[in-house]
Amino acid sequence: LLQQRSNFKGTNIEFCQHHNVAITTYYKQRALLVKQSNPNLPQQSLNAASSRFIQVNKTTTEFCAQTHPNVLQFDIRTGQLMFPANIATSEIVAIIKGLTA
């Protein structure tokens, strides 16, 4: 199949689609063929001959903004505790500890 490639007028992708072969399989088999026909070829030359692709890695970062209401609400057995959103955590802990004492 690789020998037929030179007679095909389209791109490698079109060639693979025409013959129902994955493009990755095509390039892998082509690289193996190059390696078999040139066993003493340096690895750098082999890599250049086996693929014309450049690997691209895409990194995405997702930001999630959280908005807080102006009031923090805690549900307790006897009702609700409501604090301003800017109250220090240590103050909330002290108040809750005072309730359980």
Side-chain angles (χ1 to χ4, degrees), residues 16 29 31 40 46:
C16 291
Q29 293 303 317
N40 297 326
L46 183 60

Side-chain angles (χ1 to χ4, degrees), residues 36-56:
Q36 288 173 355
S37 61
N38 300 306
N40 297 326
L41 194 64
Q43 187 63 35
Q44 261 185 338
S45 298
L46 183 60
N47 288 342
S50 66
S51 179
R52 294 182 192 145
F53 284 111
I54 299 172
Q55 184 174 356
V56 176

Side-chain angles (χ1 to χ4, degrees), residues 13 16 18 22-25 31-33 37 42 50-51 57 63 69 76-77 79-80 82 85 90-91 95-97:
I13 293 173
C16 291
H18 179 76
I23 189 73
T24 53
T25 302
L32 289 173
L33 184 65
S37 61
S50 66
S51 179
N57 295 324
F63 293 97
I76 58 174
R77 280 183 283 159
Q80 296 176 338
M82 297 178 83
S90 58
E91 291 180 38
I95 293 168
I96 293 174
K97 282 185 178 181

Side-chain angles (χ1 to χ4, degrees), residues 5 10 12 16 18-19 21 26 33 50 69 72 80 85-86 89 91 95 99:
R5 175 61 187 103
N12 288 341
C16 291
H18 179 76
H19 292 286
V21 175
Y26 168 80
L33 184 65
S50 66
L72 297 175
Q80 296 176 338
N86 60 352
T89 309
E91 291 180 38
I95 293 168
L99 293 174

